Amino acid sequence: MAIKQRLAAAGVSATLLAAGGLAYQFEGEFNTAYHDPVGVLTACVGNTSDVELGRLYSERECTDKFVQDLRVAEQAVSRCTPNAPEGMRPALVSFTFNVGGGAFCKSTLARLANAGDYRGACKQLYRWVYAGGKVLPGLQRRREAEAAACLSALL
C-alpha cells in the first residue's frame, strides 16, 4: 500500500499527510536498520528511536513509527511557531521530522516565522544542508523541495 494511503488509514491530519508525503520521498523506507550518512542507526522511515540492529520491521510497525514521529514533529512546530500559516506547516513538519524539535525551535527559521517574516523563514530551509559538517546532495534536494512547498503556501 502506498505511504499516503497508509497514513490516511492511520487517520492523520491533512498537514501530516502532506508532511509525510514530503518526508517519505527523501527518507525512503527500510524494514531493517541501517546507519544514515552520519552513522545514526535508523530504520523504517527515518526513525532513530529504539532501533534494533538486525531486526526486521513490518510495514505496520514502520507506519506506526512514522505517524508517531510525524506527530512529535507537528507538536514542536505548533509549540514553537504557533502563528505560522497553515499552508507552511507541512514543510515545517517535514523539516522538523528530519532535524528534531530542539533544533527547529532554536532555529533562525522559527525566530523569523514568529516575527511574521514567513518568506525569510522559508528561505532558511536552504541553509540546512549539512550533516557531519558536509553538504549532502540528498539534503540539498530535500531542502529545495521543502522550501518550494513552504514558499508556495505564501502565494
Side-chain angles (χ1 to χ4, degrees):
M1 185 183 316
I3 192 60
K4 285 197 173 188
Q5 292 171 312
R6 290 164 45 199
L7 291 174
V12 301
S13 66
T15 296
L16 286 190
L17 189 61
L22 189 55
Y24 187 87
Q25 76 185 57
F26 295 100
E27 295 286 348
E29 185 168 352
F30 301 88
N31 294 82
T32 57
Y34 65 97
H35 288 94
D36 76 1
V38 293
V40 176
L41 191 60
T42 307
C44 295
V45 185
N47 180 270
T48 59
S49 60
D50 300 322
V51 177
E52 299 172 35
L53 197 55
R55 179 167 174 216
L56 181 64
Y57 294 87
S58 71
E59 183 178 278
R60 178 59 190 229
E61 287 174 305
C62 286
T63 300
D64 291 347
K65 285 177 173 288
F66 191 35
V67 168
Q68 180 181 5
D69 291 345
L70 285 168
R71 286 187 172 136
V72 168
E74 181 182 43
Q75 289 167 357
V77 169
S78 293
R79 181 177 68 254
C80 297
T81 54
N83 297 317
E86 192 62 36
M88 283 177 65
R89 291 185 177 280
L92 299 181
V93 171
S94 174
F95 171 72
T96 304
F97 173 89
N98 183 238
V99 302
F104 171 74
C105 291
K106 294 175 189 174
S107 70
T108 300
L109 187 162
R111 183 179 56 77
L112 290 171
N114 286 328
D117 182 0
Y118 302 124
R119 185 166 301 286
C122 292
K123 289 182 177 182
Q124 283 291 308
L125 290 163
Y126 294 113
R127 300 183 61 170
W128 290 77
V129 295
Y130 294 89
K134 297 178 183 176
V135 174
L136 296 183
L139 277 180
Q140 285 181 307
R141 288 188 299 275
R142 180 180 187 147
R143 298 302 179 243
E144 288 169 5
E146 289 167 341
C150 190
L151 289 164
S152 72
L154 303 177
L155 300 177

